[in-house]
């Protein structure tokens, strides 16, 4: 896998695309993408955070307590940079 070469925008876009297409790529794929997300969550901006949270919710995928906590904490810290669309995707 080459997920480590993806930008944070690409990681969140992968999740967003799967959710938009209502495509479930399977547990192994989600585990890999979300594992890379967890490693780089501190680099996620408002757009990447909102897309990642929305995609997990849309697909009914539980990212796990550790990653969800990290995503929400990063969201709290970046809240000042969220526009209305990014914020609404997190709700």
């Amino acid at each position: 896998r080459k997920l480590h070469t993806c930008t944070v925008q690409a990681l969140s876009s992968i999740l967003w695309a799967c959710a938009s297409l209502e495509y479930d790529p399977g547990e192994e794929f989600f585990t890999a993408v979300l594992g890379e997300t967890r490693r780089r969550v501190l680099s996620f901006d408002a757009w990447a955070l909102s897309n990642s949270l929305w995609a997990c919710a849309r697909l009914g995928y539980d990212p796990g307590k550790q990653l969800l906590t990290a995503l929400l904490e990063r969201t709290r810290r970046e809240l000042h940079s969220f526009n209305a669309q990014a914020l609404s995707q997190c709700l």
Side-chain angles (χ1 to χ4, degrees):
R1 303 217 182 220
K2 295 188 178 201
L3 290 173
H4 67 279
T5 65
C6 290
T7 65
V8 295
Q9 296 296 344
L11 287 171
S12 66
S13 291
I14 290 167
L15 295 171
W16 177 87
C18 289
S20 293
L21 295 171
E22 297 180 5
Y23 173 71
D24 182 356
E27 185 80 22
E28 182 180 341
F29 181 82
F30 262 112
T31 299
V33 173
L34 292 177
E36 192 62 31
T37 297
R38 184 173 39 258
R39 283 186 280 286
R40 296 201 277 163
V41 71
L42 294 178
S43 300
F44 275 46
D45 61 11
W47 188 86
L49 289 163
S50 65
N51 279 342
S52 299
L53 288 166
W54 176 82
C56 288
R58 175 85 171 141
L59 290 172
Y61 189 82
D62 181 0
K65 184 177 181 178
Q66 183 182 15
L67 179 54
L68 184 57
T69 299
L71 287 167
L72 293 175
E73 178 59 26
R74 181 69 180 159
T75 297
R76 186 184 66 77
R77 290 182 182 173
E78 290 297 313
L79 202 54
H80 67 278
S81 65
F82 277 61
N83 63 22
Q85 181 181 358
L87 183 58
S88 69
Q89 286 188 171
C90 293
L91 301 176

